Amino acid sequence: MKRLLLINLILTTLTVAVAGCDEDGPVDGYSGDSDSDSDSDSDSDSDSDTDSDGDTDSDSDSDTDSDTDTDVTANPPSYGSGTTMDVHDMADWVNSQRQGYEPHDRYWGIPFSNDHFHAVFTWPIVMTWDDGTAAIAQNEADSIASGNAPSLTSVEGGIIYISGPCTSPHMVHTSEGTMSSVNPFMRMAAYYHDFGGEGPVLDKIGIGASDNGDGSTAWVLAFN
């Protein structure tokens, strides 16, 4: 019995080390993030000036430069209450946002949960439509439109819902109004999101949409 407990403890330790995306972030991300976890206090202190400057710059760039650099419409057309946009059109629009934010640093994890910007690109900028991924997104959208709570983590006061870090598929639920590129939560959650090598490489996109019955739409973006 003691031997079995010891083996289980070793396996648990190894599993945590492999699945550490929600703690340590991308393995080749900003040196300051990885150094602060492994280096001594004196090393992390000496690195902090450089790292904090880099993080501050990237944050300010994400709010200012990326908006002005994006050559696409800030707001997607509405669904069910104006210009009709089907799921394929929305996928194209999301890809256009990712193209517009290609020069930006990547982000992993829940938006604003920590400083999770990094410079490791593993996902393609343009995702390929996939029917299987779309079916997953549509099931979630139908469930939400039927009155069920999203099976995702609430951010921005329940306006946006997002999958946990480094899970596949990576899903984001919101309405078309919130999907505006001026919303930093959406930018971090979808438009320059990338697990950075710590989680799976996702290259497919599928979109689900359901009419809420009040002129609004439940949208679910799924990357797989």
Side-chain angles (χ1 to χ4, degrees):
M1 180 63 71
K2 291 182 178 180
R3 178 175 297 178
L4 289 174
L5 289 174
L6 179 59
I7 292 173
N8 287 335
L9 178 60
I10 293 172
L11 290 175
T12 301
T13 303
L14 290 174
T15 301
V16 171
V18 170
C21 178
D22 58 347
E23 296 178 358
D24 298 327
V27 65
D28 294 323
Y30 286 141
S31 60
D33 292 342
S34 57
D35 287 347
S36 61
D37 291 336
S38 58
D39 289 352
S40 64
D41 291 340
S42 59
D43 288 344
S44 60
D45 290 341
S46 63
D47 292 343
S48 61
D49 291 341
T50 302
D51 295 338
S52 61
D53 290 343
D55 292 342
T56 301
D57 291 343
S58 62
D59 289 345
S60 61
D61 290 345
S62 65
D63 292 338
T64 304
D65 294 344
S66 55
D67 289 342
T68 56
D69 291 343
T70 304
D71 296 327
V72 293
T73 305
N75 299 299
S78 59
Y79 177 88
S81 59
T83 303
T84 300
M85 173 181 252
D86 66 18
V87 291
H88 292 278
D89 291 334
M90 182 61 82
D92 290 341
W93 190 86
V94 171
N95 273 329
S96 74
Q97 294 299 305
R98 290 184 60 81
Q99 289 176 292
Y101 286 107
E102 182 173 4
H104 200 283
D105 286 335
R106 305 292 91 183
Y107 191 88
W108 69 274
I110 305 299
F112 289 111
S113 62
N114 206 330
D115 187 8
H116 291 166
F117 285 100
H118 63 92
V120 182
F121 285 68
T122 58
W123 296 12
I125 298 299
V126 175
M127 299 287 184
T128 302
W129 177 267
D130 178 68
D131 288 338
T133 303
I136 295 172
Q138 188 61 52
N139 286 339
E140 180 73 9
D142 290 341
S143 176
I144 294 168
S146 298
N148 298 317
S151 60
L152 307 169
T153 300
S154 171
V155 298
E156 200 181 7
I159 298 174
I160 295 175
Y161 294 82
I162 183 174
S163 301
C166 297
T167 57
S168 178
H170 172 74
M171 292 198 291
V172 181
H173 157 62
T174 189
S175 65
E176 61 265 14
T178 310
M179 290 173 69
S180 167
S181 62
V182 302
N183 187 330
F185 288 89
M186 278 303 300
R187 298 200 301 265
M188 294 178 189
Y191 305 148
Y192 44 76
H193 202 90
D194 191 318
F195 295 160
E198 191 72 9
V201 174
L202 308 183
D203 58 6
K204 296 183 285 292
I205 189 171
I207 306 291
S210 289
D211 193 332
N212 287 322
D214 59 0
S216 65
T217 302
W219 288 98
V220 176
L221 285 56
F223 303 93
N224 207 359

